[in-house]
Amino acid sequence: IHLGKGSYINMGATLLDNAPIRIGADVMIGPNVQIYTAAHALDADERIQGVETALPVTIEDRVWIGGGAVLLPGITIGREAIVGAGAVVTRDVPAGARVVGNPARILPARAEGFHVPTGAARFFPGTRHKVGPGRRARRYPYHRYTGLGCNHF
């Protein structure tokens, strides 16, 4: 296991290192993330005999992996990609992409000038939109706007 400078692995992470796991610099790995390099044969007879393969997992620099995500053997997460909480990554993630779901799928690129809608500002400090007198603040879950399912930027 190689861990780059400034990277962080939260509690409860599982790293099965039958093959190399390379984690770049400034990577954030959330709680209960599972990184697997080992895989068993799909054929039942081979599996019972103990046939196992191992493929390396590479996480490039400045990646954020949300809590509970699962990374399967042989994948590469590109630089500055974001893996949403609970995603199951079954194939490579391009640099700068955001993936969510099971199996993980790439979200469309964010449009320039993205902002949090009016009414959500009280939950997102620093936004331009404020909840003024006479306006009812509605609660907008964070994942509705980013697809990440987390409570911070």
Side-chain angles (χ1 to χ4, degrees):
I1 298 174
H2 170 80
L3 184 64
K5 182 180 177 182
S7 292
Y8 176 79
I9 301 174
N10 211 317
M11 65 181 193
T14 301
L15 287 73
L16 296 183
D17 62 340
N18 299 47
I21 297 175
R22 299 195 56 81
I23 300 170
D26 301 312
V27 172
M28 296 188 306
I29 298 178
N32 302 312
V33 168
Q34 301 167 53
I35 301 174
Y36 300 132
T37 61
H40 299 281
L42 296 178
D43 178 69
D45 292 331
E46 290 179 17
R47 189 170 52 250
I48 291 168
Q49 292 174 7
V51 174
E52 184 178 283
T53 59
L55 299 169
V57 171
T58 302
I59 302 169
E60 295 180 355
D61 298 341
R62 300 174 56 140
V63 170
W64 175 18
I65 301 174
V70 178
L71 310 182
L72 296 184
I75 58 123
T76 296
I77 308 292
R79 181 179 172 83
E80 298 184 4
I82 300 174
V83 177
V88 177
V89 182
T90 59
R91 54 186 132 178
D92 291 350
V93 175
R98 297 178 301 151
V99 298
V100 295
N102 179 6
R105 291 192 167 81
I106 298 175
L107 291 176
R110 269 196 331 205
E112 290 300 317
F114 173 82
H115 68 277
V116 178
T118 303
R122 67 184 265 209
F123 303 102
F124 301 99
T127 60
R128 321 182 255 185
H129 301 287
K130 302 298 177 195
V131 178
R135 288 191 185 170
R136 195 174 105 210
R138 292 178 26 189
R139 294 182 184 258
Y140 292 97
Y142 179 76
H143 69 274
R144 182 170 171 188
Y145 298 104
T146 63
L148 299 178
C150 298
N151 294 324
H152 59 283
F153 284 105

